[in-house]
Amino acid sequence: NNGNDGGGLPGNNNGNDGGGGNATSLAHGVVYIDGVGDLSEARFPLNHQGGQLPSAYHLMSHMVVVVPFSRIQDQFRTRKRRRQDNDVVDDGDDVVEMESFKNSPLLQLRWFRLVCDEGHELGASHAGNEVTQFINLIASERRWVLSGTPTTGDEDSLEYTALGLMQFQRLLLFLRHPKYGIVPTPDAINGGNSSSASGGRDGSSRRRSSDRDAKRQNKDSAKQAWDTTVKMPFLRKQEAGRQELYNIMDQCMVMHKKEDVNLPKPIFKQGEVSVPVPLDVQSDLVEAVCSNKRGIDDYLDVLYRMGVEVERRGADLKYKLQEALRGGSTLFDVLLSEYMATDDYQMMVDEAQATYVADTVKQERRQLEARGGAIENVLGAPITLATNDDSLSSLSKDRRPVKAVVYSESHNNLLSVADYLYDIFPRENLAEMSEGRISEMVYELGRFRNNYKEGKHCPICNCWNEFKGTNLTSCHNRLLEVEDAEGRIFLIEPERILRAVSADEYSAWSLDRQAEMVGNSLMHFRLPGTEADKFGKYGLSPKYWRVDDGLIIDARDPHPLLPRRWNENKWAQYGSQQCMELAEKDLGQGRDNYFGPLPEYDNEGGGLNVIVKLRKWSKCGTFHGTRRWYTGPTLVDTEIETVKEDVFIMLLDASLATGLDLSFVTHLFLLEPIDDAALLEQVTSRAHRLGCTGPVIVETVNVWQGCLEESTKAVAKQLASSIVEEEEENRRTSTAVCEHCYRSFESMEKAEIHEHTCERNPDSSAVVDPFHLSSVYRDIRPPALL
């Protein structure tokens, strides 16, 4: 690869043309239009500028083009908005004229093979679906559908087989099956251009109408043949219908199952975390329910002291209390449930889960070191010595690096647990796939998989700039412009912020020195964390920053964690004088300032803590605008660096989990129980998939909330508290999972009994219904080895 066309080998790429390359040269390389991939061995553009695809001229210079469904949908909508008045879109009859989209680069080329990953989406969606319609218009010589589940749905549902047969026929439409799929007319293949000589608007309209009628007739004919020959006979349990369905699948389907490739089976565990109610809250609860209080306001005062947002809960909370006082529910339960819903208690829950995950990971890493340490390849990517059955049978021989994923269906819960994990581990130990752009997710996935990051250090502020597939031309790290008590204005890094000034500290300082502190104090609700440490988290994110905030910073230079800054002589060479002139012209409200030396302060008590006022903040590259005054070195003059890291935990949001290859992961922590067997299998399959060389441990972190002292429990039981009874009942039962069908059971004994008759267990004694669609799938065997 010459490095100029977005190919799969390292090289330079301008990132502005979707891959570039000379269309007259031999087609080679891979261009990613979008999507989550691994940047470790490639230099290709992501998130193409302007939301448009590269031109057909650029795409044709590549052997492989990868485009996600989301970009296909954008193409459909864009072309639909731009269609001419004489173009026809008839969604009711699932007919879309190619003229509506002929400007799309994907439709201007005839491809050798069209591969639709997660292809079950084509069958699960109605044929009029935007993505399905557009994909069906792409001209290709051959077509493939890739999917872990050819049809979707709950196998236990009575309608599963009927819906599955309908979905499968939609896949045959896409695959151009000669009998049960649409065979495009010549006009459709040529983009609606007829070779006949009939011209003019009327002739063109007649051609489109004729082509549309042919498509509709073709589709109706295919569906009728399917219903008559396959669907209805199969549903009536006629052998002819089953045999025809099997013949079709056997001709066009290649199926590999996990048991065929002898993948190590996942190991399911149930972790338990107890989160006790603070003793002072328990005392308030007991006093409230045992006293002679009778008014609603009395109980509202108790809840307010416990941290419940009484005003926000309003009428709903008053109604629940009134019902409890009338005997409709237990007053103790109402008070306790309201407390457990407070932010303070839920933060305790999140902290307990984070601590459990951290302790488990630390223990696994210690045990790995005792086994001789991890086995990695030269790039640091995970591999293992466990490559045969004997090794896989024992975790004691597992030498894979510990790679743990923390998964949650709740975005807010995941972020809260992440905050506590960052308090336990250095930032370089964690990766996040929870929010942000696709390019940011790519970067984080690469860090987690390969244990290193790529980017550039800014020659001005020395901050790290992440390489995310596009050229790094300007430092994107934020600097803060602050002003001290003497009116001196300068730039600082967020790392210098020790804490924000609280209202109490502001008042104490003013009384002590008989002077007003520079800047404004902060209200505690603006910052996360407990009262003890929340003001120290001010520098973590710009979302907490406000103009005129009072801050306490570390003004040492050099700082123990930061390099020494350039002196004034060097800055004068790079245009600092012109910078100050521009800043003065803008009355200090513009974007110009420079990262010069810090003011000199008296060293008090061995430290150098200074109180300043925040004026504004912006990116380093914005402050040092090369087009306005700065003439020194920039990121363009700096080479991409590879920095070794030790990343062993990734935070994964459920919305971003689909399609990821996490076959190198050793542990999967679920922050909430997953009772849906299909969803649990999908989540587990991120790691339990082709390529894994050892078992993945799937551990649900169960939280027992509302844990009480025995004396408090005694009072609660006298009051017939249902919360206490449910908590004790839950502790008596533990959930076990069938390793074949992923259904959950109350105990390991029940799960083992089920496995003997589980239809997905190849060694089970279950009698399989031959007219259940899943039974036909099981009859399709992998092709013989060559």
Side-chain angles (χ1 to χ4, degrees), residues 88-97 169 173 181-185 188 208-224:
V88 177
V89 176
D90 186 353
D91 292 335
D93 290 327
D94 307 333
V95 176
V96 180
E97 288 297 310
Q169 198 259 334
L173 294 177
I182 293 179
V183 179
T185 62
R208 286 198 301 273
S209 178
S210 175
D211 187 33
R212 187 164 60 253
D213 292 341
K215 288 181 182 178
R216 185 181 294 110
Q217 183 179 2
N218 201 339
K219 178 189 171 184
D220 292 344
S221 173
K223 188 175 186 305
Q224 183 178 2

Side-chain angles (χ1 to χ4, degrees), residues 294-315:
R294 288 293 182 268
I296 295 294
D297 291 339
D298 293 333
Y299 294 109
L300 291 177
D301 290 340
V302 173
L303 291 173
Y304 180 78
R305 291 197 305 270
M306 290 163 51
V308 177
E309 297 180 6
V310 174
E311 293 184 1
R312 185 179 63 84
R313 299 280 289 114

Side-chain angles (χ1 to χ4, degrees), residues 343-352 416 419-420 423 499 502 523-538 540 544:
D343 290 341
D344 289 343
Y345 186 76
Q346 288 305 309
M347 288 171 61
M348 294 171 58
V349 172
D350 296 334
E351 182 178 13
S416 183
D419 286 339
Y420 291 105
D423 290 338
R499 64 184 183 276
S502 66
M523 300 302 291
H524 67 88
F525 60 80
R526 272 177 48 191
L527 299 168
T530 62
E531 292 293 334
D533 66 354
K534 63 171 48 183
F535 289 95
K537 295 185 176 182
Y538 182 89
L540 295 180
Y544 307 131

